[in-house]
């Protein structure tokens, strides 16, 4: 009985079953008439005093335009603290102290998708990638440094082969209207898998990084193959290169955790001689 009364009240309030309700008013302000506004902000048809909200449409899979990306997780969409393996490692300094998964950020801070990473002061990040079979390689990554100084971020393309020479990233053009800097590098054929090494060179500002792509050079349009940088990171310090290789090797080796008390107790029990009855 009570359910029937509530249903009747709802139908009456909505104008009855199947009633067509008038659309929400559209205008320059909430409740205003006319114009082509979206009804955000303002009252009584008055113009809004400022932007109330911005709506972004993002692909939850991130940067999907490039289908031959050699990096495992170029735009951090699959980065998770629960992952068994990482596409990126991040550390507090160039000595790789306090390393772990990337410090992910979400939402409008990112250039694409819903995830990106933040390099805080002196942080380094190491992205893991594959080799381009019998081909050169073209690398790009986007960074948004606080204050708009593109030179806060330095980067190198490092091959797993310790004998190869790292390729420095260069800044391609100036910072754009949204504060993003474009970093690029190209090289000839490289036999081994690559690492993308990024470093925030200052202690204060944070650099947001996103949309890292490493592609076979033959798949890049001719006009984009040249390394069009205004400044480059310069040669990589040999000691730093050795640390990168040592760190990458240690993180990719299988780790066997120490035995717990239960496992040790089970082993002791199994080592005891068995008693047999006649």
């Amino acid at each position: 009985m009570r359910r029937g009364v509530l249903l009747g009240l709802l139908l009456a309030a909505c104008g009855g079953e199947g009633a067509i309700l008038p659309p929400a008013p559209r205008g320059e302000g909430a409740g205003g008439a006319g114009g082509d506004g979206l009804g955000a902000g303002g009252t009584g048809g008055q113009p809004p005093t400022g932007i109330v909200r911005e709506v972004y449409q993002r692909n939850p899979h991130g940067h999907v335009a490039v289908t031959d990306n050699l990096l495992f997780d170029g735009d951090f969409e699959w980065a998770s603290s629960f992952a068994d393996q990482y596409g990126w490692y991040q550390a507090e300094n160039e000595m790789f102290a306090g390393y772990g998964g990337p410090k992910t950020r979400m939402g409008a801070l990112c250039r694409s998708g819903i995830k990106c990473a933040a390099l805080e002061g002196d942080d380094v990040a190491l992205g893991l990638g594959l080799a381009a079979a019998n081909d050169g390689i073209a690398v790009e990554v986007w960074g948004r440094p606080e204050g708009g100084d593109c030179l806060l971020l330095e980067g190198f393309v490092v091959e797993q082969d310790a004998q190869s020479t790292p390729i420095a990233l260069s800044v391609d053009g100036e910072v754009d209207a949204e504060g993003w800097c474009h970093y690029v590098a190209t090289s000839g054929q490289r036999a081994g898998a690559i690492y993308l090494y990024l470093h925030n060179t200052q202690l204060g500002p944070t650099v947001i990084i996103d949309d890292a792509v490493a592609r076979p050079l033959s798949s890049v349009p001719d006009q984009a193959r040249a390394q069009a940088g205004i400044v480059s990171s310069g040669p990589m310090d040999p000691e730093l290169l050795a640390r990168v290789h040592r760190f990458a090797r240690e993180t990719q080796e299988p780790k066997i955790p120490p035995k717990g008390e239960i496992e040790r107790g089970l082993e002791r029990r199994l080592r005891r001689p068995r008693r047999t009855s006649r």
Side-chain angles (χ1 to χ4, degrees):
M1 180 64 182
R2 182 179 300 175
R3 182 177 302 173
V5 173
L6 289 176
L7 181 59
L9 291 174
L10 286 173
L11 292 175
C14 295
E17 185 176 1
I20 301 176
L21 301 179
R26 295 172 58 88
E28 295 183 350
D36 57 355
L38 299 180
T43 57
Q46 299 299 319
T49 57
I51 297 176
V52 176
R53 67 178 61 87
E54 293 183 0
V55 179
Y56 298 88
Q57 183 175 359
R58 294 289 177 86
N59 187 331
H61 299 293
H63 187 83
V64 296
V66 177
T67 59
D68 55 353
N69 194 351
L70 299 173
L71 293 172
F72 292 160
D73 185 15
D75 55 2
F76 304 95
E77 297 303 324
W78 309 111
S80 169
S81 57
F82 302 103
D84 294 329
Q85 295 180 327
Y86 297 113
W88 292 83
Y89 286 96
Q90 188 164 339
E92 297 173 353
N93 51 50
E94 291 184 302
M95 301 301 294
F96 293 98
Y99 79 89
K103 300 175 181 177
T104 53
R105 299 291 186 267
M106 300 183 69
L109 283 175
C110 304
R111 190 171 183 272
S112 71
I114 57 176
K115 283 185 181 180
C116 49
L119 289 183
E120 299 171 352
D122 204 31
D123 277 6
V124 299
L126 193 67
L128 310 182
L130 301 173
N134 303 317
D135 202 347
I137 193 168
V139 177
E140 65 173 343
V141 62
W142 290 84
R144 187 167 68 178
E146 289 182 355
D149 183 3
C150 296
L151 301 184
L152 290 180
L153 184 69
E154 68 174 0
F156 296 91
V157 180
V158 180
E159 193 176 335
Q160 287 187 4
D161 181 7
Q163 303 301 319
S164 63
T165 302
I167 303 298
L169 296 179
S170 297
V171 182
D172 181 18
E174 302 289 344
V175 59
D176 67 14
E178 296 182 354
W180 288 96
C181 305
H182 189 211
Y183 304 87
V184 297
T186 59
S187 75
Q189 182 174 336
R190 306 177 77 83
I194 63 165
Y195 307 126
L196 177 57
Y197 174 88
L198 301 174
H199 175 217
N200 180 355
T201 60
Q202 300 296 320
L203 292 176
T206 297
V207 181
I208 303 297
I209 53 176
D210 202 2
D211 282 2
V213 173
R215 304 179 66 186
L217 194 58
S218 59
S219 67
V220 179
D222 292 340
Q223 63 270 22
R225 292 188 182 186
Q227 183 173 328
I230 57 173
V231 92
S232 118
S233 302
M236 192 175 197
D237 180 67
E239 294 184 2
L240 173 59
L241 177 60
R243 286 198 299 270
V244 169
H245 282 289
R246 184 169 57 250
F247 172 79
R249 185 170 57 251
E250 291 174 353
T251 53
Q252 294 182 62
E253 290 176 349
K255 302 294 189 301
I256 301 177
K259 297 178 181 180
E261 183 60 32
I262 296 177
E263 186 176 0
R264 290 195 296 269
L266 179 60
E267 289 180 346
R268 290 193 297 267
R269 186 178 183 87
L270 292 176
R271 286 196 296 266
R272 293 175 184 173
R274 297 183 177 181
R275 296 179 180 179
T276 57
S277 59
R278 296 180 179 178

